[in-house]
């Protein structure tokens, strides 16, 4: 890829902010649960999960729709699922010329990983 | 709690086996995505997430239904969500006397955390 412009990773106005302590630390409040459930739900579909891992594992951490449509569903369905991943704050996107490029939001991924930390106190 | 019997943590016959590499490592196969999506979907509901964190953070890592029903929904709804968490392999349960006790399956939680590891190669 020749385009070296830095992507505005944290410019997703409706992205879910990283939230919440580990699930094992204390009972979640209703607000925390709403935010975190939205992220988990976005990954709770096999096609979305395949698209997400295709973007996340692609060279340079970003992928064009043209790179990741090989998941056995129609192009409109791919677009629908990519939009859901964006709405949940898991992906950002940028149009460059003909194609839209998708990139994983690492801070959100890290926040979800933190939620699933097994706290020693709960053992 | 006076009952010190060791719970058969890994005796969940229909539990989801821990699966899959980090999402950032390579594109998931259809089978991997099915398995992992089932776990994420189970946490993709605010009420389930609150129940799950209530169990996970409870003293001793287990909780009776009587301990965790304070999430603003009816008892049948609580039971329904706890069953979904069990079906996804995230909780195990055991009846003791009057009450059913729920316990988090740490290996499944750890496997989900691993999925969300941000691999350096993807940066």
């Amino acid at each position: 890829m020749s385009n070296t412009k830095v992507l505005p990773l944290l410019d997703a106005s409706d992205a879910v902010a990283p939230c919440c302590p580990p699930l094992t630390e204390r009972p979640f409040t209703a607000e925390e649960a709403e935010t975190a459930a939205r992220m988990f739900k976005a990954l709770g579909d096999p096609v979305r999960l395949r698209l997400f891992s295709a973007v996340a594992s692609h060279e340079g951490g970003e992928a064009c729709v043209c790179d990741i449509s090989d998941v056995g569903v129609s192009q409109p369905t791919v677009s629908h699922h990519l939009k859901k991943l964006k709405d949940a704050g898991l992906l950002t996107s940028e149009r460059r010329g003909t194609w839209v490029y998708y990139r994983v939001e690492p801070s959100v991924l890290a926040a979800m990983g933190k939620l699933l930390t097994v706290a020693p106190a709960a053992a």
Side-chain angles (χ1 to χ4, degrees), chain A:
Chain A
M1 223 166 297
S2 60
N3 189 330
T4 56
K5 190 159 87 85
V6 174
L7 292 175
L9 270 186
L10 292 170
D11 189 25
S13 55
D14 63 344
V16 174
C19 95
C20 318
L23 280 160
T24 54
E25 198 169 291
R26 59 165 172 74
F28 270 26
T29 65
E31 290 73 24
E32 288 169 343
E34 283 288 342
T35 306
R38 196 167 157 223
M39 298 189 283
F40 284 120
K41 192 176 179 183
L43 295 182
D45 176 276
V47 173
R48 279 204 292 279
L49 208 47
R50 290 185 74 188
L51 288 169
F52 184 81
S53 70
V55 172
S57 63
H58 203 262
E59 201 186 336
E62 72 168 11
C64 161
V65 177
C66 55
D67 296 320
I68 56 168
S69 296
D70 186 24
V71 292
V73 295
S74 70
Q75 182 57 53
T77 303
V78 167
S79 296
H80 165 79
H81 284 305
L82 287 171
K83 184 177 184 312
K84 291 242 177 186
L85 288 166
K86 275 185 67 179
D87 289 348
L90 290 166
L91 293 181
T92 56
S93 71
E94 186 186 48
R95 178 176 289 278
R96 280 183 242 144
T98 312
W99 296 105
V100 176
Y101 289 82
Y102 290 86
R103 179 174 279 274
V104 167
E105 181 48 75
S107 66
V108 176
L109 204 62
M112 290 181 75
K114 187 186 149 205
L115 288 184
L116 296 166
T117 307
V118 180

Coordinates of all heavy atoms in Angstrom, one line a residue, chain A residues 9-10 12 14-18 35-45 48-49 51-53 55-56 61-62 81-93 102-113 115:
Chain A
L9 N -7.5 7.2 14.2 CA -8.0 6.0 14.9 C -9.0 6.3 16.0 O -9.9 5.5 16.2 CB -6.8 5.3 15.6 CG -6.1 4.2 14.8 CD1 -5.1 3.5 15.6 CD2 -7.1 3.2 14.2
L10 N -8.9 7.4 16.6 CA -9.8 7.7 17.7 C -10.8 8.8 17.4 O -11.4 9.4 18.2 CB -9.0 8.2 19.0 CG -8.1 7.0 19.5 CD1 -7.2 7.5 20.6 CD2 -9.0 5.9 20.1
A12 N -13.7 8.2 15.9 CA -15.0 7.6 15.7 C -16.0 8.2 16.7 O -16.1 7.9 17.9 CB -14.9 6.1 15.9
D14 N -19.1 8.1 17.3 CA -20.1 7.2 18.0 C -19.5 5.9 18.5 O -20.2 5.0 18.8 CB -21.3 7.0 17.1 CG -21.0 6.2 15.9 OD1 -19.8 6.1 15.5 OD2 -21.9 5.6 15.3
A15 N -18.2 5.9 18.6 CA -17.5 4.7 19.0 C -17.8 4.4 20.5 O -18.0 5.4 21.3 CB -16.0 4.8 18.8
V16 N -17.8 3.2 20.9 CA -18.0 2.8 22.3 C -16.7 3.1 23.0 O -15.6 2.6 22.6 CB -18.3 1.3 22.5 CG1 -18.3 0.9 23.9 CG2 -19.6 1.0 21.8
A17 N -16.7 3.9 24.0 CA -15.5 4.1 24.8 C -15.1 2.9 25.6 O -16.0 2.2 26.1 CB -15.7 5.3 25.8
P18 N -13.8 2.6 25.7 CA -13.4 1.4 26.5 C -14.0 1.6 27.9 O -14.0 2.8 28.4 CB -11.9 1.6 26.5 CG -11.6 2.2 25.2 CD -12.7 3.2 24.9
T35 N -22.9 -0.9 27.8 CA -21.8 -0.5 27.0 C -21.0 -1.8 26.6 O -20.7 -2.0 25.4 CB -20.8 0.4 27.7 OG1 -21.6 1.5 28.2 CG2 -19.7 0.9 26.8
A36 N -20.7 -2.6 27.6 CA -19.9 -3.8 27.3 C -20.7 -4.8 26.4 O -20.1 -5.5 25.5 CB -19.5 -4.5 28.6
A37 N -22.0 -5.0 26.7 CA -22.8 -5.9 25.9 C -22.8 -5.6 24.4 O -22.8 -6.4 23.6 CB -24.2 -6.0 26.5
R38 N -22.8 -4.3 24.2 CA -22.8 -3.8 22.8 C -21.6 -4.3 22.0 O -21.7 -4.7 20.9 CB -22.9 -2.3 22.8 CG -23.3 -1.6 21.5 CD -23.6 -0.2 21.7 NE -23.4 0.6 20.5 CZ -22.8 1.8 20.4 NH1 -22.3 2.4 21.5 NH2 -22.7 2.4 19.3
M39 N -20.5 -4.3 22.7 CA -19.2 -4.8 22.1 C -19.3 -6.3 21.9 O -18.9 -6.8 20.8 CB -18.0 -4.4 22.9 CG -17.8 -2.9 23.1 SD -16.3 -2.4 23.9 CE -16.6 -2.7 25.6
F40 N -19.7 -7.0 22.9 CA -19.7 -8.5 22.8 C -20.7 -8.9 21.8 O -20.5 -9.8 21.0 CB -20.1 -9.1 24.2 CG -19.0 -9.1 25.2 CD1 -19.1 -8.5 26.4 CD2 -17.8 -9.8 24.9 CE1 -18.0 -8.5 27.3 CE2 -16.7 -9.8 25.8 CZ -16.9 -9.1 27.0
K41 N -21.9 -8.2 21.7 CA -22.9 -8.6 20.7 C -22.4 -8.4 19.3 O -22.7 -9.2 18.4 CB -24.1 -7.7 20.9 CG -25.3 -8.2 20.2 CD -26.6 -7.3 20.5 CE -27.8 -7.8 19.7 NZ -28.9 -7.0 19.9
A42 N -21.5 -7.4 19.1 CA -21.0 -7.2 17.8 C -20.1 -8.4 17.3 O -20.1 -8.7 16.1 CB -20.2 -5.9 17.8
L43 N -19.5 -9.0 18.3 CA -18.7 -10.2 17.9 C -19.5 -11.5 18.1 O -18.9 -12.6 17.9 CB -17.4 -10.3 18.8 CG -16.4 -9.1 18.6 CD1 -15.2 -9.3 19.5 CD2 -16.0 -9.0 17.2
G44 N -20.7 -11.4 18.4 CA -21.5 -12.6 18.7 C -22.2 -13.2 17.4 O -23.3 -13.8 17.5
D45 N -21.6 -13.0 16.3 CA -22.2 -13.5 15.0 C -21.0 -14.1 14.2 O -20.0 -13.4 14.1 CB -22.9 -12.4 14.2 CG -23.3 -12.8 12.9 OD1 -22.5 -12.8 11.9 OD2 -24.5 -13.2 12.8
R48 N -19.7 -11.9 11.3 CA -19.0 -10.7 11.8 C -17.6 -11.0 12.4 O -16.6 -10.3 12.2 CB -19.8 -10.0 12.8 CG -20.9 -9.1 12.2 CD -21.3 -8.0 13.2 NE -22.0 -8.5 14.3 CZ -23.3 -8.8 14.4 NH1 -24.0 -8.7 13.3 NH2 -23.8 -9.2 15.5
L49 N -17.6 -12.2 13.1 CA -16.3 -12.6 13.7 C -15.3 -12.9 12.6 O -14.1 -12.6 12.7 CB -16.6 -13.8 14.6 CG -15.7 -14.0 15.8 CD1 -15.5 -12.7 16.6 CD2 -16.3 -15.1 16.7
L51 N -15.2 -11.7 9.5 CA -14.8 -10.4 8.9 C -13.9 -9.6 9.8 O -12.8 -9.1 9.4 CB -16.0 -9.5 8.6 CG -16.9 -10.0 7.5 CD1 -18.2 -9.2 7.5 CD2 -16.2 -9.8 6.1
F52 N -14.2 -9.6 11.1 CA -13.3 -8.9 12.1 C -11.9 -9.5 12.1 O -10.9 -8.8 12.1 CB -14.0 -8.9 13.4 CG -13.2 -8.1 14.4 CD1 -13.4 -6.7 14.5 CD2 -12.4 -8.7 15.3 CE1 -12.7 -6.0 15.4 CE2 -11.6 -7.9 16.3 CZ -11.8 -6.6 16.3
S53 N -11.9 -10.8 12.2 CA -10.5 -11.5 12.2 C -9.8 -11.3 10.9 O -8.6 -11.2 10.9 CB -10.6 -12.9 12.7 OG -11.2 -13.7 11.7
V55 N -9.9 -8.6 9.0 CA -9.4 -7.2 9.1 C -8.2 -7.2 10.1 O -7.1 -6.7 9.8 CB -10.4 -6.2 9.5 CG1 -9.8 -4.8 9.8 CG2 -11.5 -6.1 8.4
A56 N -8.5 -7.8 11.3 CA -7.5 -7.7 12.4 C -6.2 -8.4 12.0 O -5.1 -8.0 12.5 CB -8.1 -8.3 13.6
G61 N -2.7 -4.4 9.6 CA -3.8 -4.1 10.5 C -5.0 -3.5 9.9 O -5.9 -3.0 10.6
E62 N -5.0 -3.4 8.5 CA -6.2 -2.8 7.9 C -6.4 -3.6 6.6 O -5.5 -4.3 6.1 CB -6.0 -1.4 7.6 CG -5.0 -1.1 6.5 CD -5.1 0.4 6.0 OE1 -5.7 1.2 6.7 OE2 -4.5 0.7 5.0
H81 N -22.7 -6.1 8.0 CA -21.9 -6.6 9.2 C -20.8 -5.6 9.5 O -20.5 -5.4 10.7 CB -21.4 -8.0 9.0 CG -22.5 -9.0 9.1 ND1 -23.3 -9.1 10.2 CD2 -22.9 -10.0 8.3 CE1 -24.2 -10.1 10.1 NE2 -24.0 -10.7 8.9
L82 N -20.1 -5.1 8.5 CA -19.0 -4.2 8.7 C -19.6 -2.9 9.4 O -18.9 -2.4 10.3 CB -18.3 -3.8 7.4 CG -17.4 -4.9 6.8 CD1 -16.9 -4.6 5.4 CD2 -16.2 -5.2 7.7
K83 N -20.8 -2.5 9.0 CA -21.4 -1.3 9.7 C -21.6 -1.6 11.1 O -21.4 -0.8 12.0 CB -22.7 -0.9 8.9 CG -23.3 0.3 9.5 CD -24.5 0.8 8.8 CE -25.1 2.1 9.3 NZ -25.2 2.2 10.8
K84 N -22.1 -2.8 11.4 CA -22.4 -3.2 12.8 C -21.1 -3.1 13.7 O -21.1 -2.7 14.8 CB -23.0 -4.6 12.9 CG -24.4 -4.7 12.4 CD -25.4 -5.1 13.4 CE -26.8 -5.1 12.9 NZ -27.7 -5.4 14.0
L85 N -20.0 -3.6 13.1 CA -18.7 -3.6 13.8 C -18.2 -2.2 14.0 O -17.7 -1.8 15.0 CB -17.7 -4.4 13.0 CG -17.9 -5.9 13.0 CD1 -17.0 -6.6 12.0 CD2 -17.6 -6.5 14.4
K86 N -18.5 -1.3 13.0 CA -18.1 0.1 13.2 C -19.0 0.8 14.2 O -18.5 1.5 15.1 CB -18.4 0.9 11.8 CG -17.2 0.8 10.9 CD -17.5 1.7 9.7 CE -17.6 3.1 10.0 NZ -17.8 4.0 8.8
D87 N -20.3 0.5 14.2 CA -21.2 1.1 15.2 C -20.8 0.7 16.6 O -21.0 1.5 17.6 CB -22.7 0.7 14.9 CG -23.2 1.3 13.7 OD1 -22.6 2.3 13.1 OD2 -24.3 0.9 13.2
A88 N -20.3 -0.5 16.8 CA -19.9 -0.9 18.1 C -18.5 -0.4 18.5 O -18.0 -0.7 19.6 CB -19.9 -2.5 18.2
G89 N -17.9 0.3 17.6 CA -16.6 0.9 17.9 C -15.4 0.0 17.7 O -14.3 0.3 18.1
L90 N -15.7 -1.2 17.1 CA -14.6 -2.2 16.9 C -13.8 -1.9 15.7 O -12.6 -2.3 15.6 CB -15.2 -3.6 16.9 CG -15.7 -4.1 18.2 CD1 -16.6 -5.3 18.0 CD2 -14.6 -4.4 19.2
L91 N -14.3 -1.3 14.7 CA -13.6 -1.0 13.5 C -13.8 0.5 13.2 O -14.8 1.1 13.5 CB -14.2 -1.8 12.3 CG -14.0 -3.3 12.2 CD1 -14.6 -3.8 10.9 CD2 -12.5 -3.7 12.3
T92 N -12.8 1.1 12.5 CA -12.9 2.4 11.9 C -12.8 2.2 10.4 O -12.3 1.2 9.9 CB -11.8 3.4 12.4 OG1 -10.5 2.8 12.1 CG2 -12.0 3.6 13.9
S93 N -13.2 3.2 9.6 CA -13.1 3.0 8.2 C -12.7 4.3 7.5 O -12.9 5.4 8.1 CB -14.4 2.5 7.6 OG -15.4 3.5 7.6
Y102 N -10.8 -0.8 6.2 CA -11.2 -1.0 7.6 C -10.0 -1.3 8.4 O -9.1 -1.9 8.0 CB -12.2 -2.1 7.7 CG -13.5 -1.7 7.1 CD1 -13.8 -1.9 5.7 CD2 -14.5 -1.2 7.8 CE1 -15.0 -1.5 5.1 CE2 -15.7 -0.8 7.3 CZ -16.0 -0.9 5.9 OH -17.1 -0.6 5.3
R103 N -10.1 -0.8 9.7 CA -9.0 -0.9 10.6 C -9.5 -1.3 12.0 O -10.6 -0.7 12.4 CB -8.2 0.4 10.6 CG -7.0 0.4 11.5 CD -6.2 1.7 11.4 NE -5.3 1.7 10.2 CZ -4.1 1.1 10.2 NH1 -3.6 0.7 11.4 NH2 -3.3 1.1 9.2
V104 N -8.9 -2.1 12.7 CA -9.3 -2.5 14.0 C -9.0 -1.4 15.0 O -7.9 -0.7 14.9 CB -8.6 -3.8 14.5 CG1 -8.8 -4.0 16.0 CG2 -9.2 -5.0 13.7
E105 N -9.8 -1.1 15.9 CA -9.6 -0.1 17.0 C -8.9 -0.9 18.1 O -9.6 -1.5 18.9 CB -11.0 0.5 17.4 CG -10.9 1.5 18.4 CD -9.8 2.5 18.2 OE1 -10.0 3.4 17.3 OE2 -8.8 2.5 18.8
P106 N -7.6 -0.8 18.3 CA -6.9 -1.6 19.3 C -7.3 -1.3 20.7 O -7.3 -2.2 21.5 CB -5.4 -1.3 19.0 CG -5.3 -0.5 17.8 CD -6.7 0.1 17.5
S107 N -7.7 0.0 21.0 CA -8.0 0.3 22.4 C -9.3 -0.4 22.8 O -9.4 -0.8 24.0 CB -8.1 1.8 22.6 OG -9.2 2.3 21.8
V108 N -10.2 -0.6 21.9 CA -11.5 -1.3 22.2 C -11.2 -2.8 22.4 O -11.8 -3.4 23.3 CB -12.5 -1.0 21.1 CG1 -13.8 -1.8 21.4 CG2 -12.8 0.5 21.0
L109 N -10.4 -3.3 21.5 CA -10.0 -4.7 21.7 C -9.4 -5.0 23.0 O -9.7 -6.0 23.7 CB -9.1 -5.1 20.5 CG -9.0 -6.6 20.1 CD1 -10.4 -7.1 19.6 CD2 -8.0 -6.8 19.0
A110 N -8.5 -4.1 23.4 CA -7.8 -4.2 24.7 C -8.7 -4.1 25.8 O -8.6 -4.9 26.8 CB -6.7 -3.2 24.8
A111 N -9.7 -3.2 25.7 CA -10.7 -3.0 26.8 C -11.5 -4.3 26.9 O -11.8 -4.7 28.1 CB -11.6 -1.8 26.5
M112 N -11.9 -4.9 25.8 CA -12.7 -6.1 25.9 C -11.9 -7.3 26.5 O -12.4 -8.1 27.3 CB -13.2 -6.6 24.5 CG -14.2 -5.7 24.0 SD -14.8 -6.2 22.3 CE -15.8 -7.6 22.8
G113 N -10.6 -7.3 26.1 CA -9.7 -8.3 26.7 C -9.6 -8.1 28.3 O -9.6 -9.1 29.0
L115 N -11.9 -6.9 30.2 CA -13.1 -7.4 30.8 C -13.1 -8.8 31.2 O -13.7 -9.3 32.2 CB -14.3 -7.2 29.9 CG -14.8 -5.8 29.6 CD1 -16.0 -5.9 28.6 CD2 -15.2 -5.1 30.9

